[in-house]
Amino acid sequence: MTERVYIHVGLPKTGTTYLQQCLLESREALAADGVLVPGKNHHFQTEAFWDLLGRRLRDVDQQGVAGGWRRLLDVTTPWRGRSVVLSEEFLVNARKPHVKKVVQAFAPAEVHVVVTVRDLGRVLGSMWQQELSKGRTWTWAEFVAAVRDPEEGPATAGVAFWLRQDLARVLATWESAVPQERIHVVVVPPAGAPPTRLLELFAEATDLDPATLTPTTTRDNSSVGVVETELLRRLNEGLGDRLNERQYLYLVNRVLKPALHERASGTSFRLPASELAWVAEKGRETVALLAAGSYHVVGDPQHLVPEPGSAGPGTDPGDVGDAELASAALTALTGTVEHYGNYWWRTRRRKEAPSAGGAERAASGTRALAYRTRVGLLERADRNRFLGWAARRYLAWRTRTG
């Protein structure tokens, strides 16, 4: 098969969705350059790696996942171009047996691993929001406390966070089958850098020609502000477990978050100054880890240590007022009604109408046109002085004549 297979494994909230969308939109140009990005959409790769690792949505029968790993190999194995590029952040959950199976499956191709990593101070808020988008109900304070010390906060918060964000563990797992020299660590640029900069760094790590990559304008993973996130947290408390995972994800990602994104309050998460010290220390530990290894590091590792100016009071979600929440809730309700109104209209069953003759239809149509004309004129009366006067005179006339 191909000479090289690049496997991008995340970490989560490090621009993975952006990179995956760029790869998909650049498939044709990449293929012309000898690079295969399998699948017409990202579900193809997701199903493959979920099949490999055993991931399923809660209370959902996902029959399409079974066989996904084989289908991925059926597409990649015949490829004779210079490389294959895969991307799925769920692979941070892979264990050593999974890694061994992946490397063996792609043999004799040379497997390379790409890990994107980001300043922990910026990851915290994004991860909290992502977890709330999966139905969690921890407050911001509870979440930060659990990440800082998993022994004290909710285990589902701190433990789950570090299982996906512990770079040392992820690297050690993949090193069990892939030499350090073939592990590429991409440091996400600091806040304010153009998104294309991350794409350039990723291209360097995967030996792609930047000219073949199209920067995407699609926003499939848009974030919202502090007020909107706190509203989602409280919604989760009210919902409990009454929806299965697919129902919930559809509601949040297709209906609520797009509506809330349109009215985002503009208040974003900023690392509280009181948390800066331990987050900065974690960043320095990561820098030391990368310096001690033989990894191919792309980007500036110092960007993993938050600057003092990056912390601040921000907006504490616990301080969000009822008026702000009510405004966000009205936006969410409006978006939900609009979405399901349009959905019902597209999928409604049309009633079978009794048959009528041509003359009957013509007469009925004339009466309908006259009625619509009267209603249309009345609806315009507030915007037209003459029509407003005429509507009032018409009302007086109807009152007299009945």
Side-chain angles (χ1 to χ4, degrees), residues 169-182:
R169 183 195 60 79
V170 172
L171 291 176
T173 299
W174 286 90
E175 286 171 33
S176 65
V178 179
Q180 282 192 0
E181 293 78 8
R182 288 197 233 143

Side-chain angles (χ1 to χ4, degrees), residues 78-146:
W79 184 252
R80 295 295 185 266
R82 62 188 181 88
S83 67
V84 173
V85 179
L86 308 171
S87 177
E88 174 52 51
E89 68 179 35
F90 190 70
L91 284 169
V92 296
N93 297 291
R95 291 178 285 113
K96 291 181 180 179
H98 299 132
V99 170
K100 182 179 180 181
K101 185 173 182 177
V102 168
V103 173
Q104 290 177 340
F106 290 121
E110 191 176 86
V111 172
H112 289 243
V113 176
V114 181
V115 183
T116 42
V117 61
R118 185 184 180 196
D119 164 17
L120 180 60
R122 295 163 62 202
V123 168
L124 280 170
S126 297
M127 284 291 289
W128 181 58
Q129 187 180 98
Q130 177 172 284
E131 288 302 305
L132 294 184
S133 297
K134 296 178 181 178
R136 301 295 191 180
T137 59
W138 321 303
T139 65
W140 170 241
E142 288 172 336
F143 178 72
V144 174

Side-chain angles (χ1 to χ4, degrees), residues 337-358:
V337 171
E338 180 182 6
H339 176 89
Y340 282 103
N342 291 332
Y343 176 79
W344 170 80
W345 188 254
R346 291 194 308 269
T347 60
R348 73 192 189 284
R349 288 186 177 181
R350 296 182 180 273
K351 296 180 179 179
E352 293 185 5
S355 59

